[in-house]
Amino acid sequence: MTEVRVRFPPSPTGYLHIGGARTALMNWLYARKTGGKLILRIEDTDAERSTRESIDGILDGLTWLGLDWDEGPYFQTDFAADHLAAADRLLQSGHAYKCFCTKEELDRKRQALLAAKQDIRYDGTCRELTPEQIAAKEQQGLPFVVRFKVPRQSGTVAYDDRVLGRIERRYDDIEDFVIVRSNGKPLYLLCNVVDDIRDRISHVIRGQDHMSNTTRQVLLYEALGAPVPVFVHMPLTLDQQKRKISKRSHGEIVAVQFYRDHGFIPWALCNFLILLGWNPGTEQEIFSREELIEAFSLERIGKVNSVFNYRKDDPKFFTDPKAISINAHYLHTMPIEELGQLVKQDFQAQGLWDDAYDQDRRDWYLSTLDLIRGRFHTTKDFATMGRAYFADDYTIEQKPLKKNILKHPDLRTWLPMLAQRFAALDTFDQQSAETAARELAAELGVKPGIIINGMRTVLTGQLAGPGMFDILVALGRDRVIDRLKNIDGLYTTSEA
RNA sequence: GGCCCCAUCGUCUAGUGGUUAGGACGUCGGCCUCUCACGCCGGUAACACCGGUUCGAACCCGGUUGGGGUCACCA
């Protein structure tokens, strides 16, 4: 059995989006599964649209996702000589011909065909030019493109797709496609094949949107006398309107960068993406990297396009709810030290980081993250909803303010009273604090909940959170007392 | 429009001739409780349609409808 060699060949005309990331992931998994190689190749033959920023963005995105490659990045433009040499060979062997039709002519004909409701296809004007005619046109210095000469015979081109089965297409349905531009630059269809041959690619794993390219490329492989690789066409990822997702029409919500910026855990995003069009045949949905490599197989890639169910402007779910729930799962269960690293990055960016969290406050830092992570969904939540644990400039949210504070004006005196009792305790721990709080409630003749939830609001600004007495310990006596004494501010602000 | 691909809950999906059509997310209800975008329990909800084949079809075949992709001197 020959070595498995797969490739991910993005064109650097925008940032890495989740469709591309998913393709990269599938290729990566197959390479890792089989002990093969993943080649990264930047397809930059469209010089006008390719940018350095885009290349960096794609590389960063892959790196962030944890998808490493074994060779490359190669740049397609570095192999222009190969592409042209191949075009030459095709010309020599009679598999291609020079076409002198101008763009204007072709456009005109195309319009006419369109109007007549005919197939829009090159009519083969230059296909049968005699050597003399060609020489004459070249003598005049007329520009030309190189077209592939599709066999004009009955029958079909075919290949066996690993997910879709046998795919056939009649020669008659394929026009003589252009492989070299009039400016001498080779086109995608050719470059891609030439590069895949040179890189000895064994499996081409790509989206179903390439299917019509594939039949034409099979023709090129045959004309070039090269073995045809195994083709694996994955189903596409669509939006709710069932449109193919693209950076251009969907914007940041489909950019990998967006998920990094919104507190996604890289592998959680991979875990979500792999479930779009693939499943293990068991009911397992959460996979470690090793488990997924083990479980992955081409055979279980589905045929059906899937909908990326992001909800724009939904306050609760800023993207596909399942993606968020998978991210939350990892957030809740991953080793706390690893989470500590991820949160550290965000805290540093937010100005919330304290170097002591890596030193003598490390235990406190990690145990506090562990205490509050249970109801968070992204790593961003620690700096927002969890802010009160790490800084004093946290916000008191409106809902709990109304429900737990303003509704009970007496808290204005009760909470400072509680602060005094906390101050008077010999030891301040979960037990003693709870006893003190409940005793106060009993003496005042109010439900403990009123005191406790009032405290929660003042201390964390949040409606929900961990058990109140765990919070007290995490915050520490001094901060608790400070904040409880300052409850006055809450009433004044809202009255103003 | 031509060519190609596809069709199970709202979404992601399991299912390959006999299942109460399973799971996950969402949603709804209940429980827990000091709170909940925590946890636990439960409910809701799908085989596009029409013909065949068969003792028996979500599964096999044909058609219809529907959806998607692609039709560049982009990749």
Side-chain angles (χ1 to χ4, degrees):
Chain A
M1 176 145 178
T2 52
E3 185 191 22
V4 166
R5 292 174 61 85
V6 293
R7 78 318 194 251
F8 178 57
S11 72
T13 55
Y15 289 116
L16 182 64
H17 67 87
I18 58 172
R22 179 168 156 271
T23 304
L25 175 61
M26 292 268 189
N27 278 283
W28 179 84
L29 282 168
Y30 193 57
R32 295 296 166 263
K33 170 86 183 181
T34 57
K37 297 278 191 288
L38 174 62
I39 288 97
L40 178 61
R41 188 171 66 224
I42 308 294
E43 305 222 320
D44 55 351
T45 53
D46 185 355
E48 327 224 311
R49 297 198 299 155
S50 299
T51 66
R52 183 70 227 177
E53 291 75 17
S54 178
I55 293 171
D56 291 340
I58 289 166
L59 262 39
D60 286 351
L62 291 173
T63 303
W64 179 73
L65 286 168
L67 305 181
D68 53 343
W69 53 93
D70 304 293
E71 288 180 29
Y74 297 135
F75 291 84
Q76 195 159 55
T77 44
D78 289 344
F79 297 93
D82 287 4
H83 308 143
L84 263 6
D88 239 30
R89 270 174 57 204
L90 293 173
L91 234 25
Q92 292 306 316
S93 61
H95 287 290
Y97 60 91
K98 293 174 180 176
C99 169
F100 297 88
C101 296
T102 65
K103 215 167 177 176
E104 294 67 36
E105 263 177 273
L106 294 173
D107 278 343
R108 194 171 44 71
K109 286 181 181 173
R110 206 171 282 139
Q111 291 308 321
L113 288 169
L114 205 62
K117 287 192 158 178
Q118 300 277 302
D119 288 355
I120 313 162
R121 179 179 315 168
Y122 179 60
D123 61 3
T125 303
C126 298
R127 186 178 165 113
E128 305 300 345
L129 291 179
T130 63
E132 293 73 33
Q133 289 172 307
I134 295 172
K137 284 176 186 289
E138 284 185 304
Q139 204 94 68
Q140 294 175 55
L142 291 178
F144 62 86
V145 299
V146 178
R147 283 182 187 274
F148 184 80
K149 191 183 259 180
V150 177
R152 285 295 160 240
Q153 61 189 54
S154 59
T156 60
V157 211
Y159 63 94
D160 291 300
D161 190 284
R162 275 296 273 284
V163 346
L164 298 171
R166 189 163 187 80
I167 303 297
E168 287 185 281
R169 194 173 167 200
R170 294 158 47 83
Y171 291 115
D172 286 348
D173 290 326
I174 306 174
E175 74 170 346
D176 287 349
F177 52 94
V178 177
I179 55 178
V180 181
R181 294 180 174 92
S182 55
N183 66 3
K185 303 279 190 194
L187 255 4
Y188 167 77
L189 244 17
L190 208 223
C191 299
N192 191 251
V193 166
V194 170
D195 292 340
D196 282 347
I197 293 171
R198 187 194 53 251
D199 291 335
R200 307 193 323 278
I201 300 303
S202 62
H203 297 68
V204 173
I205 305 172
R206 60 191 352 181
Q208 285 181 12
D209 51 346
H210 279 280
M211 283 179 71
S212 73
N213 288 333
T214 302
T215 38
R216 288 180 291 175
Q217 291 185 318
V218 168
L219 255 21
L220 286 173
Y221 279 101
E222 287 171 351
L224 256 12
V228 178
V230 175
F231 287 99
V232 183
H233 288 111
M234 331 181 293
L236 304 177
T237 305
L238 313 174
D239 67 13
Q240 299 95 322
Q241 284 75 242
K242 300 277 179 70
R243 293 285 176 201
K244 186 171 78 161
I245 57 166
S246 69
K247 175 77 182 155
R248 189 171 168 210
S249 47
H250 298 87
E252 61 168 7
I253 191 77
V254 302
V256 166
Q257 168 115 29
F258 176 83
Y259 294 88
R260 173 168 56 184
D261 294 346
H262 283 76
F264 261 70
I265 294 155
W267 183 250
L269 184 57
C270 289
N271 197 147
F272 167 73
L273 289 176
I274 196 60
L275 260 14
L276 258 28
W278 176 87
N279 76 79
T282 65
E283 289 186 343
Q284 184 175 2
E285 295 203 303
I286 301 292
F287 301 87
S288 69
R289 178 176 295 253
E290 295 68 30
E291 286 173 329
L292 188 57
I293 290 169
E294 172 66 28
F296 187 74
S297 77
L298 262 22
E299 285 63 38
R300 294 208 62 88
I301 295 176
K303 299 178 180 180
V304 193
N305 294 164
S306 55
V307 171
F308 177 52
N309 197 26
Y310 71 90
R311 313 172 172 187
K312 213 157 186 167
D313 303 321
D314 186 317
K316 198 161 156 188
F317 299 104
F318 61 90
T319 187
D320 191 308
K322 190 145 187 172
I324 292 185
S325 91
I326 289 175
N327 196 58
H329 174 86
Y330 279 95
L331 191 75
H332 299 163
T333 58
M334 73 196 294
I336 197 67
E337 296 78 14
E338 277 176 44
L339 182 62
Q341 282 303 309
L342 294 175
V343 174
K344 176 181 179 180
Q345 291 170 25
D346 190 50
F347 275 14
Q348 286 175 324
Q350 305 286 327
L352 283 177
W353 181 251
D354 181 340
D355 282 335
Y357 297 162
D358 265 346
Q359 319 287 322
D360 49 313
R361 298 258 284 158
R362 180 177 165 80
D363 286 348
W364 177 84
Y365 171 67
L366 294 180
S367 64
T368 301
L369 293 187
D370 197 32
L371 175 67
I372 59 182
R373 68 169 160 173
R375 28 192 83 49
F376 289 171
H377 293 83
T378 74
T379 58
K380 289 286 167 193
D381 292 339
F382 292 93
T384 54
M385 293 193 264
R387 194 176 188 87
Y389 297 86
F390 306 97
D392 290 318
D393 62 346
Y394 58 98
T395 344
I396 310 286
E397 292 190 346
Q398 283 303 306
K399 240 166 121 177
L401 180 66
K402 283 183 188 147
K403 184 178 167 192
N404 297 330
I405 300 293
L406 302 181
K407 219 170 123 186
H408 307 288
D410 290 332
L411 284 171
R412 198 169 183 165
T413 53
W414 295 345
L415 291 187
M417 280 170 71
L418 183 59
Q420 284 195 356
R421 298 203 177 191
F422 283 161
L425 291 174
D426 291 334
T427 53
F428 184 74
D429 58 22
Q430 225 185 89
Q431 273 282 294
S432 61
E434 177 155 10
T435 307
R438 287 190 187 276
E439 275 175 7
L440 178 66
E443 287 169 33
L444 294 169
V446 299
K447 284 190 287 190
I450 296 188
I451 301 286
I452 293 171
N453 288 320
M455 227 189 327
R456 177 188 302 286
T457 305
V458 174
L459 296 175
T460 70
Q462 298 285 310
L463 186 64
M468 194 57 229
F469 303 100
D470 290 314
I471 295 178
L472 294 181
V473 174
L475 287 173
R477 171 147 47 179
D478 295 346
R479 279 195 292 180
V480 168
I481 291 173
D482 258 16
R483 291 177 186 183
L484 290 180
K485 279 185 179 163
N486 283 325
I487 185 173
D488 264 353
L490 296 185
Y491 291 94
T492 22
T493 337
S494 65
E495 280 161 10

